[in-house]
Amino acid sequence: MQRNIMIFMGTRPEAVKLAPVVTALRNAPDLRCTVVATGQHREMFQQVAETFGFAVDDNLDVMRPNHTLAGLTARLVESIDGRLESTQADMALVQGDTTTVLAAALACFYRRIPIGHVEAGLRTGNILSPFPEEANRTLATPLMSLHFAPTAAARLSLLRESVPDASISVTGNTVIDALRIEVATQASDAVLRACIKDELSKLLGDDWSQVPTVVVTGHRRENFGNGIEQICNAIATLAARFPNHRFVYPVHLNPNVLVHVNRLLCGLPNVKLIPPQSYRNFVALMAHCRLVLTDSGGLQEEAPSLGKPVLVMRDSTERPEGVAAGTTLLTGTNARVIVKHVTRLLTDPTAYRSMVTTTNPYGDGYAADRIVDRIRQYFRERDRDQRAA
């Protein structure tokens, strides 16, 4: 009997992290995978789907101009419920901490459809940071049937919340699967490498692969306003202090980010403000750079696999394993603190080496296979219990 696993995803990070799961499910003869996009990141999402070669079966197209989180959540719950009503799903899957996760968990719970959570158990302990992601994942957890924890620490967080141990599987993080797939693809395809080099040369100059580079991302909602201003002030100071380095900032399209970045950084000679990049181009940038400055979550997992130190411009992180392992460092958004730590890493070879020679604690590249195996086990156990009843 073939089971239909319906995957709901809407943002680019979800698409990257679920792409290996889609591939593993579609390679399994006893499972069928239906991919439903919610439409939160239209163009960037489609780029990822094309990069990893998976088809989207339906797009809910929930985004509206100037939407509120409440409005988005309501539309998602209603749209996902409609899709569940029209298509027989034996199980649903979601990833991470987006509004799609919370909405899908509610919709599946109302219809008594089991749902699995990829990247379960991440916690900062502060409901407002990151906002609204910490609330999304915390509220969704009790509604999940299967919890795919990326690390042992994430599993412990779930156990502390009285999640049944039998429902938790430590799988590693699927982003490491995705990164290894892309790195291998770029290494084996000379035509693809030439295309990436040409695209980045148009944005950064023909010498981009020879210039020491710091990659910057900053767009989290809780950093809007003063946080983004502090980050930009730090970059401006660092750009003046290290004129032989290039600071590359793919700027998020949110106006709350654009207005500050353009005002404070536009025109600085060694700061390159570029549009958001495809996953493919961004992996190439990460592979080339010396270090990463970010307020993102996923980059804390990806960059260490490429041997790049990560400075996390947030006050808390739901990924403490990297801090414990020495691959990441929390700086907060204070410009002075950011400048101090970046300066130390760019001038002290010993400090730099200490962050690039440690083992990435987030996985080995086989998380998707473990997830599919656990889904099979779930249905075997359920069938057995039904026969016994």
Side-chain angles (χ1 to χ4, degrees):
M1 177 181 179
Q2 194 178 52
R3 314 282 187 169
N4 182 27
I5 314 300
M6 187 172 290
I7 302 184
F8 293 99
M9 51 175 128
T11 65
R12 185 177 91 157
E14 287 170 287
V16 170
K17 293 186 175 187
L18 285 171
V21 181
V22 172
T23 299
L25 286 169
R26 289 184 170 167
N27 287 336
D30 55 331
L31 300 170
R32 181 161 57 92
C33 176
T34 302
V35 175
V36 180
T38 59
Q40 287 176 263
H41 289 172
R42 289 186 187 91
E43 292 182 5
M44 291 188 290
F45 182 96
Q46 188 56 39
Q47 285 177 345
V48 173
E50 292 171 358
T51 294
F52 288 96
F54 68 85
V56 175
D57 298 290
D58 193 12
N59 194 319
L60 302 181
D61 194 25
V62 298
M63 299 301 282
R64 301 291 182 271
N66 301 313
H67 69 259
T68 63
L69 285 173
L72 174 62
T73 304
R75 285 193 300 277
L76 277 168
V77 173
E78 185 173 20
S79 298
I80 291 171
D81 181 68
R83 194 64 170 83
L84 293 170
E85 182 179 31
S86 64
T87 303
Q88 177 60 44
D90 296 293
M91 177 180 283
L93 284 182
V94 290
Q95 188 281 327
D97 50 24
T98 66
T99 306
T100 291
V101 171
L102 177 59
L106 279 169
C108 288
F109 173 73
Y110 292 152
R111 291 192 174 271
R112 301 195 177 191
I113 295 171
I115 182 168
H117 188 193
V118 178
E119 200 180 75
L122 274 63
R123 297 289 187 271
T124 65
N126 179 355
I127 201 71
L128 297 176
S129 177
F131 179 87
E133 288 84 1
E134 181 78 359
N136 287 340
R137 57 191 172 221
T138 304
L139 293 170
T141 289
L143 307 179
M144 299 292 176
S145 303
L146 292 177
H147 306 265
F148 302 111
T151 65
R155 172 180 173 271
L156 290 175
S157 293
L158 293 169
L159 292 174
R160 283 193 290 268
E161 296 172 11
S162 300
V163 173
D165 193 11
S167 69
I168 306 170
S169 301
V170 178
T171 61
N173 199 302
T174 56
V175 77
I176 307 302
D177 300 33
L179 182 63
R180 290 191 173 189
I181 291 167
E182 180 57 25
V183 168
T185 299
Q186 292 190 20
S188 64
D189 191 332
V191 174
L192 175 61
R193 290 198 305 274
C195 181
I196 293 169
K197 184 175 182 179
D198 181 62
E199 289 180 7
L200 291 175
S201 294
K202 291 176 181 176
L203 294 168
L204 304 174
D206 292 336
D207 63 345
W208 72 269
S209 60
Q210 282 79 51
V211 177
T213 298
V214 174
V215 169
V216 183
T217 73
H219 63 270
R220 297 212 67 88
R221 190 180 296 266
E222 66 266 27
N223 282 343
F224 287 175
N226 182 63
I228 292 293
E229 285 205 6
Q230 288 282 315
I231 290 169
C232 291
N233 288 334
I235 296 167
T237 300
L238 289 164
R241 185 171 294 181
F242 296 95
N244 62 322
H245 281 60
R246 187 168 290 161
F247 295 79
V248 177
Y249 191 162
V251 185
H252 198 279
L253 300 180
N254 190 306
N256 292 293
V257 176
L258 280 171
V259 65
H260 298 294
V261 173
N262 287 332
R263 175 171 57 85
L264 295 169
L265 297 177
C266 188
L268 298 182
N270 58 332
V271 175
K272 292 290 186 179
L273 306 179
I274 62 176
Q277 293 300 293
S278 68
Y279 181 69
R280 186 148 275 169
N281 284 3
F282 196 80
V283 167
L285 272 175
M286 276 199 299
H288 163 65
C289 78
R290 293 196 65 192
L291 59 86
V292 175
L293 283 172
T294 187
D295 63 4
S296 169
L299 287 181
Q300 299 174 49
E301 300 152 344
E302 292 171 288
S305 284
L306 298 172
K308 310 300 176 180
V310 185
L311 300 189
V312 184
M313 299 181 294
R314 286 162 53 180
D315 295 322
S316 60
T317 180
E318 63 276 53
R319 294 166 172 87
E321 299 88 349
V323 177
T327 62
T328 61
L329 178 68
L330 277 175
T331 68
T333 56
N334 181 281
R336 181 185 57 80
V337 175
I338 295 169
V339 169
K340 180 184 77 172
H341 286 296
V342 173
T343 298
R344 181 173 61 89
L345 287 173
L346 294 183
T347 58
D348 183 345
T350 301
Y352 186 87
R353 282 195 301 271
S354 71
M355 293 190 71
V356 303
T357 57
T358 54
T359 301
N360 188 337
Y362 295 110
D364 59 5
Y366 296 96
D369 292 338
R370 295 187 184 100
I371 289 168
V372 171
D373 286 345
R374 182 63 183 93
I375 290 171
R376 285 198 180 100
Q377 181 188 356
Y378 174 87
F379 286 116
R380 286 197 302 268
E381 292 171 348
R382 193 177 73 170
D383 291 347
R384 181 198 61 203
D385 292 344
Q386 288 175 346
R387 286 194 299 270

